[in-house]
Amino acid sequence: LSTLKSERPLAAVEPGNAASGKVLFDSIGCAACHEDTRHSLAGVGSKFTGAAALARYLAEPLAVDSSGRMPDFNLTRAEAADLA
């Protein structure tokens, strides 16, 4: 995913809060797809150059990967950073 290029620049992302990210992960339905056996998040760190890159993807998944199946949850930059 990190090799896919967006056609427009994405805004800078501030570091997030992991505890807030966990609450958000549980509340918006991330686990519906990202459970242990289906679409595991194991190794996600190897797909991105850092938390900021992952946060940019989470904020605008289709801008980063237009053919992807990740839904756009209309996250704020802060929420995306918290999840990352």
Side-chain angles (χ1 to χ4, degrees):
L1 292 175
S2 67
T3 62
L4 300 173
K5 303 290 183 196
S6 173
E7 292 182 11
R8 59 189 168 101
L10 297 170
V13 177
E14 297 295 322
N17 178 290
S20 296
K22 172 70 171 129
V23 170
L24 191 57
F25 184 92
D26 293 338
S27 67
I28 66 171
C30 298
C33 292
H34 297 291
E35 56 186 74
D36 291 337
T37 59
R38 191 175 73 166
H39 305 293
S40 172
L41 293 175
V44 73
S46 66
K47 296 178 183 179
F48 294 93
T49 57
L54 175 56
R56 286 186 197 100
Y57 171 72
L58 293 171
E60 297 184 84
L62 297 177
V64 176
D65 181 9
S66 62
S67 65
R69 291 186 274 175
M70 176 74 168
D72 187 339
F73 287 99
N74 295 312
L75 300 171
T76 66
R77 286 188 296 183
E79 290 169 332
D82 289 349
L83 281 169

